[in-house]
Amino acid sequence: MQLFIPDTLVVSPTPVAAVTPEGGDITLSCTVTRRLLHPTFLSVTWSLRKASSSAPPELVLSLGPLGAVTTGPGYAQRYAMGGLRLAPGRDGLFSLVLSRVTAAGDQGAYVCTGRQWTYEEGVARSVVERHGEMGQVTVTPTGQSLNVTASSSSAGGPVSLGATLGLLCTVAADNLALLALGVTWLRDGRHVIAAMDRNGVVLPAAAIAASNGSSGGGAEVGLERTGEGQYRLSLRGVAARDSGAYTCRVRASVGGDSGRWYQVAERTSAPVVVKVAQISEYLLKMWR
C-alpha cells in the first residue's frame, strides 16, 4: 500500500535575463520547495526549447533527488569542461550557469521542472512535478556589432624606400572582452603578411612564406597586440614589392570551457593603400 503524500510542491523560477551578448553567461535560477510532512526528496531539471525548433524542450541538466547529475546529449562535454556548472544556493534555490553562450546553441525559452520523490522499499517514486517558465533568452550575435578598421602611419602618402611603416588594425564590438580574436593582415586580398591566432601566438615567418609561395614582400614583418582590440603590423625596410592594398581580417570566436571553440563572426577592414617610393629616403633628402 502506497503512502499518501500531500502535494505541497512549489516551483518558483527566477526570470532570466532577456538579452545576453554572445560569449557571456546565462544564470538559470529556480526555487523548489515543499512542506516536509513526510520524508521526501527534491530534484530539479533545466530544459531548453530552442527558438528555431518546434521539437519538445531538450534536456540541459538534471540534479536528481540524491544529488546525481544527468546532462542532455549535447551538454556532457560542456559540463565536464566547466562550461556548465551548478552554483551553490540556500533555502531551495538551485542555480545553473551556462558560460560563453552562442546564438546558435543557447538561444530559446528555458524551463525549470521541480519534482518531489519518495523512496519505498528502495525504489524511487515521483510524487508530483511542476514546470516553471524561466523566459525567452536572446543571445546577441557578435556579427551585429563587430567592426574592423585599418589605418597607416604614413597617412596615405608614399613611403620611402627602406623606411619603416606601421599599420594598425582596430577591432570594436559590444562584447569585445568576451571574444577570442584571430587576426590576419593581407596584401591585395590574397597574400598573407602576418597572422596571430586567437591565443595570441604569431604565425612563424616560415609558415607565412610557404603559404605565399614567392609572392612575399621585401620588408621585415612584425605583428603585436598593443591594446584591447588593437593589433599593430610593422614593416621595416620596405621595398617596392611591399606596395599594395592592405586589409585586416578578424575572426571572432567564443568557447573554450566547452572543450571546443566556435567562430561566431568574421570581418575584414576596408583596404589601406600603401605606395613605396622608388627612391630611398636618403636620396630624397639629398635632392631637397
Side-chain angles (χ1 to χ4, degrees), residues 48-54 107-109 136-137:
L48 169 62
R49 185 185 300 111
K50 291 191 174 180
S52 58
S53 173
S54 58
Q107 191 164 252
Q136 181 82 26
V137 173

Side-chain angles (χ1 to χ4, degrees), residues 41 65-66 117-125:
F41 303 85
L66 297 181
W117 301 78
T118 185
Y119 279 82
E120 299 173 5
E121 299 180 354
V123 178
R125 179 174 69 88

Side-chain angles (χ1 to χ4, degrees), residues 162 187 193 215-221 235-243 246:
R187 186 177 72 247
I193 305 304
S215 59
E220 179 186 348
V221 177
L235 302 175
R236 292 178 288 274
V238 295
R241 58 182 175 175
D242 292 307
S243 298
Y246 286 75

Side-chain angles (χ1 to χ4, degrees), residues 215-235:
S215 59
E220 179 186 348
V221 177
L223 177 60
E224 62 178 336
R225 182 178 183 269
T226 58
E228 186 176 36
Q230 294 191 328
Y231 300 84
R232 180 180 175 81
L233 175 71
S234 298
L235 302 175

Side-chain angles (χ1 to χ4, degrees), residues 46-261:
W46 290 270
S47 304
L48 169 62
R49 185 185 300 111
K50 291 191 174 180
S52 58
S53 173
S54 58
E58 62 180 40
L59 170 66
V60 177
L61 183 142
S62 182
L63 180 63
L66 297 181
V69 172
T70 303
T71 58
Y75 295 89
Q77 186 179 25
R78 189 172 183 177
Y79 177 72
M81 299 297 293
L84 187 67
R85 65 185 187 276
L86 289 162
R90 299 177 59 185
D91 301 324
L93 177 65
F94 298 86
S95 295
L96 180 67
V97 180
L98 285 74
S99 297
R100 301 186 180 182
V101 298
T102 63
D106 300 304
Q107 191 164 252
Y110 285 87
V111 179
C112 169
T113 300
R115 293 182 178 88
Q116 186 176 4
W117 301 78
T118 185
Y119 279 82
E120 299 173 5
E121 299 180 354
V123 178
R125 179 174 69 88
S126 177
V127 178
V128 64
E129 71 175 51
R130 283 199 169 78
H131 305 282
E133 297 286 341
M134 308 189 76
Q136 181 82 26
V137 173
T138 298
V139 179
T140 308
T142 300
Q144 289 187 2
S145 62
L146 184 64
N147 185 55
V148 179
T149 57
S151 57
S152 168
S153 61
S154 69
V159 183
S160 299
L161 196 67
T164 296
L165 173 66
L167 297 170
L168 184 64
C169 178
T170 303
V171 186
D174 291 343
N175 57 338
L176 184 61
L178 305 175
L179 301 175
L181 303 177
V183 177
T184 302
W185 277 97
L186 302 104
R187 186 177 72 247
D188 298 330
R190 60 187 183 277
H191 304 312
V192 177
I193 305 304
M196 180 184 292
D197 68 16
R198 59 175 173 258
N199 296 314
V201 178
V202 177
L203 195 66
I208 296 290
S211 67
N212 287 330
S214 60
S215 59
E220 179 186 348
V221 177
L223 177 60
E224 62 178 336
R225 182 178 183 269
T226 58
E228 186 176 36
Q230 294 191 328
Y231 300 84
R232 180 180 175 81
L233 175 71
S234 298
L235 302 175
R236 292 178 288 274
V238 295
R241 58 182 175 175
D242 292 307
S243 298
Y246 286 75
T247 53
C248 177
R249 183 182 66 202
V250 173
R251 290 171 175 163
S253 301
V254 299
D257 285 346
S258 62
R260 295 179 58 188
W261 287 93

